[in-house]
């Protein structure tokens, strides 16, 4: 695998220290070789590690460094990942209106680049902004459309995030038993891929769990969560007519 594949795989496995080591070495190599793509990927990876560690300002700073390299290169495709991180930082910081605008800009960029899978991913993030702003109908429609695209196209790596979305939507509706169950489906889906959630989705899952435990109590939460771990994601949504 090349650097991009290696570093993204390490990040998905939760190996943050390895990501930092690989990225710092890649920055040196890429700068010496005049390889902006490698430098952008490495700085983007450092931004993600910072965010996962709770350092949102550090993550934003690393993303802006990556974006500066991308802009100097003149290659618009290199702007995509740094812009995604900047939108994620805005969302995780609670600035949902700015995050919504940034995600819309990212969607437009990825549509121009012909990247349908990434377009879908950014619609997923846009839906979370709408959910946070209280626009449940809009969020539900976006989540349902995204889930249909994921299952239709066989985008296996995104299946756990579909489950995170379902859990968050259920929690927003106040159906904490369903939220706990879908959180279990999400955890099972991540485990089946040998991955951990991205930082913003991990934060969303943590909110779902906290609300469900408070509403149901720890024992009932554990029971529903355990049921979810045994469900196939497609079946979990097919059996639940209330899912958005």
């Amino acid at each position: 695998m090349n650097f991009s594949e290696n570093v993204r795989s390490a990040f998905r496995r939760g190996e943050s220290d390895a990501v930092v080591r690989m990225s710092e070495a890649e920055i040196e190599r890429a700068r010496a070789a005049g390889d902006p793509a490698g430098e952008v990927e490495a700085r983007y990876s450092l931004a993600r590690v910072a965010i996962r560690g709770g350092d949102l300002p550090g993550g934003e700073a690393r993303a802006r460094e990556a974006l500066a390299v991308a802009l100097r290169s003149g290659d618009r495709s290199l702007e995509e990942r740094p812009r995604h991180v900047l939108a994620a930082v805005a969302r995780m910081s609670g600035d949902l209106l700015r995050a919504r605008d940034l995600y819309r800009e990212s969607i437009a960029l990825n549509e121009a680049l012909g990247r349908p899978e990434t377009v879908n991913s950014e619609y997923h993030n846009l839906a979370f902004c709408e959910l946070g702003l209280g626009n449940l109908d809009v969020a539900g429609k976006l989540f349902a459309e995204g889930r249909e695209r994921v299952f239709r196209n066989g985008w296996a790596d995104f299946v756990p995030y579909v489950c995170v979305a379902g859990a968050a939507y259920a929690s927003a509706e106040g159906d904490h038993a369903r939220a706990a169950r879908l959180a279990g489906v999400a955890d099972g889906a991540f485990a089946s891929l040998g991955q951990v959630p991205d930082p913003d989705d991990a934060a969303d899952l943590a909110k779902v769990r906290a609300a469900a435990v408070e509403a149901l109590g720890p024992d009932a939460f554990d029971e529903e969560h355990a049921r979810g771990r045994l469900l196939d994601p497609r079946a979990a949504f097919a059996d639940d007519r209330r899912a958005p």
Side-chain angles (χ1 to χ4, degrees):
M1 291 191 291
N2 60 27
F3 168 74
S4 177
E5 293 169 335
N6 280 326
V7 78
R8 293 191 188 201
S9 294
F11 183 83
R12 288 174 182 149
R13 293 190 300 268
E15 298 170 0
S16 295
D17 290 344
V19 171
V20 170
R21 289 194 302 272
M22 294 165 62
S23 298
E24 289 177 344
E26 177 64 7
I27 288 171
E28 293 301 317
R29 185 208 67 78
R31 293 181 71 179
D35 176 11
E39 185 175 354
V40 168
E41 182 73 23
R43 294 189 184 279
Y44 156 71
S45 299
L46 291 176
R48 297 178 85 195
V49 168
I51 294 168
R52 176 175 280 170
D55 182 7
L56 294 181
E60 181 176 10
R62 301 293 83 73
R64 290 196 180 282
E65 291 169 358
L67 182 58
V69 175
L71 291 171
R72 286 196 300 271
S73 77
D75 183 348
R76 289 214 70 200
S77 68
L78 298 184
E79 298 177 27
E80 184 266 319
R81 290 289 82 189
R83 291 193 184 280
H84 164 77
V85 170
L86 292 173
V89 169
R91 176 158 79 92
M92 296 180 73
S93 299
D95 192 349
L96 296 180
L97 291 174
R98 174 166 170 73
R100 182 169 65 179
D101 288 342
L102 292 174
Y103 280 125
R104 286 172 174 166
E105 292 174 5
S106 182
I107 288 167
L109 172 62
N110 281 287
E111 286 176 338
L113 294 170
R115 295 177 172 177
E117 193 167 355
T118 308
V119 168
N120 181 76
S121 176
E122 294 300 67
Y123 268 118
H124 166 89
N125 293 313
L126 177 62
F128 268 101
C129 292
E130 298 291 359
L131 192 69
L133 290 166
N135 302 324
L136 267 65
D137 289 346
V138 177
K141 181 174 183 291
L142 291 172
F143 282 145
E145 291 171 348
R147 182 173 66 251
E148 192 278 331
R149 286 191 294 268
V150 167
F151 288 149
R152 183 181 73 244
N153 290 292
W155 290 333
D157 282 352
F158 207 79
V159 168
Y161 296 96
V162 162
C163 303
V164 173
Y169 188 86
S171 184
E173 283 197 314
D175 189 344
H176 295 290
R178 183 160 64 99
R181 188 163 59 254
L182 286 172
V185 179
D187 287 341
F190 279 117
S192 71
L193 294 175
Q195 297 180 8
V196 297
D198 284 347
D200 46 356
D201 294 279
D204 291 319
L205 270 179
K207 291 177 186 176
V208 167
R209 290 191 184 98
V213 168
E214 182 176 356
L216 303 173
D219 291 342
F221 170 83
D222 288 344
E223 181 178 346
E224 290 291 347
H225 185 273
R227 285 179 59 198
R229 286 291 298 247
L230 300 176
L231 291 175
D232 173 79
R234 284 179 181 265
F237 287 102
D239 292 343
D240 191 347
R241 296 180 181 179
R242 294 188 58 208

